[in-house]
Amino acid sequence: MDASIVIISLPAIFRGIGLDPLAPGNIGYLLWMILGYLLVSAVLVVVLGRLGDMFGRVKIYNLGFLIFACASVALSLDPFRAGAGALWLILWRIVQAFGGSMLTANSAAILTDAFPARQRGMALGINQITALAGQFLGLLAGGLLAVVDWRAVFWVSVPVSITGTIWSYLSLRETSAGRPGRIDWLGNLTFAAGAGILLAGITYGIQPYGGSATGWGNPWVLTGLIGGAALLLAFCVIETRVAEPMFDLALFRNRAFAAGNVAALLTSIARGGLQFMLIIWLQGIWLPLHGYDFEDTPLWAGIFMLPLTLGFLIAGPVSGYLSDRFGARFFSTAGLVLVMASFLGLLALPVDFDYGLFAALLLLNGLGQGMFSAPNTSSIMGSVPAEYRGVASGMRSTFQNSGTALSIGVFFSLMVSGLASSLPATLKSGLVAHGVPAASAAHAAALPPVSTLFATFLGNNPIEHLLASEGVLDHVTKAQRSALTGHTFFPQLVSGPFHHGLAIVFGVAAGMALVSAVASALRGGHRPGPDQQEPKDRPAARTTQSRHNAPS
């Protein structure tokens, strides 16, 4: 929930600290407020899962709750304004993500240790689906709390994290002994640096550079992409040569583990793209067209997306329970087929859609993702030896978190490219037709498409923002001013270019869901978990040790 609660609350947060989110120099603050948490989570979960294997999963989990609680308190007490205030929030969000990574890296491993194979799907299903539902409920909670006070967005985490810290220290016990070993410092360094640089390069790739709508031609972005990929390649070589690697590449010899993680990565990219595109679609176009003020759209976007969360909550535990009996392959693959069908359905909708059909497609998508996520997690965690469950949980979380971060780079770039081809000319002609001088209209049309995209994402009316700052609204008639700053002018103006970009985004997402379904189908048939039978493709050297450490 905390990973997404800030997304919907950014307008209130930026107003609270006195920072204009649409000023070109502030786009970096905006991106890092969203992505800082995701980047840290993607980079650190494998490392922290490995430390859980070595020193005790519950110990690392409990420490994570403590760090998360401290960071939540610090976030709610931001003493600065403007850029300094934004930096305070970004840095403490990174600390919060460090604590959160300790939780997510070890929670699935703790549950896998605690439950026998016949109950594992249900247990992991509840864990996984509440986590995914929390991402979307965070959007609703952020919209509600931001209306009260922007600090309330961070206050809500304080009692939860403090209670969780006390509860975890009092109630959790280690169910598997730590596995002594050495820390793979070189592997840790190359992985953290490589993944961090690569994802940071993708983050800056969606920002304008020179005369281009995106920054993929920026030498620094290219250096980050190439350098990050080179470091990750070096990491893979290192992990095959050290005695006790952080990232056990031998686990990928297990077909269920490899196929499950590939499917999880692609599904996470598609899910992240869906989340951001739905927010933009609802906040920037559909809700204003239906009479909602731009300032109120963040809250209502969260409310209108609830069918998606409902689908998660219905399908997750049920499919987890059934996958314990009948295996993960059918449910996870069928779920991804439903996800693909929902993307194709969204692709066919007009921009100004009928909400009943839209809600049905969101529910279908949530049901499909719920059917996939719980059995897939159970399949991944049940396919590895007991002593490697911490690192396996971290690897699973890395693929999931990296997918969300990648989705922003992939889908925002696709959308920006779609907008750049037609939005400037459409915007200029529309403004001139409503009495705006040609020079002012050309200046407004030159606004980078990513700024227009963020304006809709933040529930702002960029036309009013731009023209008011230049004093143009004082030189047009009252009727023209009312039209330019009303609910319908901007949404109607951008609906055509936006739908062009939306078609590209949902088409790519449907393709990713199809590839994920194929990968899921290739995971193999139903087999008992490691506490009932050792998988045939597990390395023989680990089989005996796994039997001794498996939960009873």
Side-chain angles (χ1 to χ4, degrees):
M1 189 170 172
D2 233 77
S4 64
I5 196 171
V6 168
I7 293 173
I8 211 81
S9 314
L10 282 172
I13 292 172
F14 272 69
R15 285 194 297 269
I17 61 177
L19 202 64
D20 179 4
L22 299 183
N26 293 338
I27 290 178
Y29 292 131
L30 186 72
L31 280 172
W32 281 103
M33 199 83 77
I34 298 171
L35 286 172
Y37 192 102
L38 294 174
L39 291 177
V40 172
S41 298
V43 168
L44 289 182
V45 284
V46 174
V47 179
L48 296 169
R50 170 69 172 153
L51 292 177
D53 286 337
M54 292 172 58
F55 301 110
R57 292 157 193 161
V58 169
K59 186 182 298 183
I60 300 297
Y61 183 91
N62 290 345
L63 181 60
F65 242 133
L66 181 60
I67 293 173
F68 192 91
C70 293
S72 298
V73 173
L75 281 164
S76 67
L77 300 176
D78 187 352
F80 302 111
R81 290 185 56 79
L87 286 174
W88 174 280
L89 295 176
I90 290 168
L91 291 173
W92 280 106
R93 283 280 286 174
I94 288 173
V95 176
Q96 190 182 47
F98 181 72
S101 297
M102 289 181 163
L103 301 176
T104 56
N106 291 282
S107 61
I110 291 171
L111 287 172
T112 305
D113 288 340
F115 285 87
R118 64 182 181 276
Q119 298 175 340
R120 188 173 296 146
M122 171 65 88
L124 290 171
I126 293 172
N127 181 59
Q128 179 76 359
I129 297 307
T130 51
L132 293 177
Q135 290 182 9
F136 287 92
L137 287 173
L139 303 178
L140 177 60
L144 288 168
L145 294 169
V147 174
V148 179
D149 190 290
W150 70 270
R151 294 182 188 272
V153 173
F154 302 111
W155 290 337
V156 70
S157 303
V158 175
V160 175
S161 55
I162 291 176
T163 302
T165 302
I166 297 171
W167 191 1
S168 64
Y169 271 102
L170 292 178
S171 64
L172 288 179
R173 298 289 181 270
E174 294 287 358
T175 56
S176 64
R179 180 174 173 268
R182 292 177 296 179
I183 297 177
D184 175 17
W185 293 110
L186 189 57
N188 279 301
L189 179 63
T190 52
F191 177 78
I197 292 171
L198 181 65
L199 292 174
I202 292 171
T203 301
Y204 284 102
I206 67 175
Q207 299 186 49
Y209 174 73
S212 176
T214 58
W216 298 112
N218 185 335
W220 286 107
V221 171
L222 293 173
T223 301
L225 296 177
I226 296 170
L231 283 170
L232 289 177
L233 182 61
F235 165 75
C236 291
V237 173
I238 290 168
E239 296 305 274
T240 62
R241 296 171 182 259
V242 297
E244 298 185 44
M246 176 196 83
F247 203 116
D248 194 347
L249 297 178
L251 294 176
F252 284 99
R253 297 174 188 168
N254 186 306
R255 188 169 55 171
F257 182 84
N261 277 304
V262 170
L265 174 64
L266 293 175
T267 304
S268 182
I269 295 174
R271 180 172 57 246
L274 174 71
Q275 174 177 304
F276 289 107
M277 291 307 111
L278 289 181
I279 292 172
I280 293 169
W281 195 353
L282 288 169
Q283 291 186 185
I285 297 179
W286 193 83
L287 287 168
L289 284 177
H290 287 257
Y292 293 84
D293 291 331
F294 276 90
E295 293 77 11
D296 296 333
T297 56
L299 169 61
W300 285 102
I303 293 172
F304 280 112
M305 288 168 60
L306 281 176
L308 188 64
T309 304
L310 181 63
F312 285 148
L313 295 176
I314 292 172
V318 173
S319 62
Y321 171 77
L322 293 175
S323 69
D324 287 336
R325 299 187 60 190
F326 304 109
R329 180 164 63 171
F330 171 78
F331 295 98
S332 58
T333 305
L336 290 171
V337 172
L338 292 182
V339 170
M340 181 186 68
S342 69
F343 279 128
L344 294 175
L346 290 169
L347 181 62
L349 285 182
V351 172
D352 191 9
F353 50 78
D354 175 73
Y355 180 71
L357 183 55
F358 179 78
L361 289 171
L362 290 192
L363 180 64
L364 181 66
N365 190 284
L367 290 170
Q369 292 198 51
M371 285 179 64
F372 163 76
S373 296
N376 190 65
T377 301
S378 178
S379 174
I380 291 173
M381 296 304 301
S383 68
V384 300
E387 69 270 21
Y388 288 92
R389 284 175 183 158
V391 71
S393 178
M395 291 160 73
R396 179 192 62 83
S397 296
T398 291
F399 281 111
Q400 184 170 302
N401 294 332
S402 297
T404 304
L406 285 169
S407 71
I408 297 175
V410 171
F411 290 112
F412 269 50
S413 293
L414 291 172
M415 180 60 76
V416 167
S417 299
L419 289 174
S421 62
S422 55
L423 180 62
T426 304
L427 185 57
K428 181 180 178 181
S429 61
L431 290 172
V432 170
H434 282 74
V436 176
S440 298
H443 181 264
L447 183 74
V450 71
S451 296
T452 305
L453 204 60
F454 278 133
T456 59
F457 184 72
L458 294 171
N460 277 287
N461 185 343
I463 303 300
E464 181 179 8
H465 183 88
L466 284 170
L467 299 184
S469 64
E470 295 185 0
V472 175
L473 293 177
D474 298 329
H475 299 88
V476 297
T477 67
K478 184 177 181 180
Q480 289 172 332
R481 184 187 306 115
S482 177
L484 289 168
T485 60
H487 294 154
T488 59
F489 175 75
F490 176 69
Q492 289 176 346
L493 198 66
V494 301
S495 60
F498 178 79
H499 191 265
H500 173 65
L502 200 65
I504 298 173
V505 166
F506 283 141
V508 172
M512 287 185 174
L514 176 60
V515 175
S516 298
V518 173
S520 179
L522 294 175
R523 76 175 68 239
H526 178 52
R527 290 182 300 195
D531 45 0
Q532 295 178 357
Q533 173 184 311
E534 294 297 322
K536 295 177 183 178
D537 52 354
R538 179 173 300 165
R542 294 181 185 147
T543 302
T544 302
Q545 189 174 15
S546 174
R547 283 181 180 142
H548 287 301
N549 290 326
S552 59

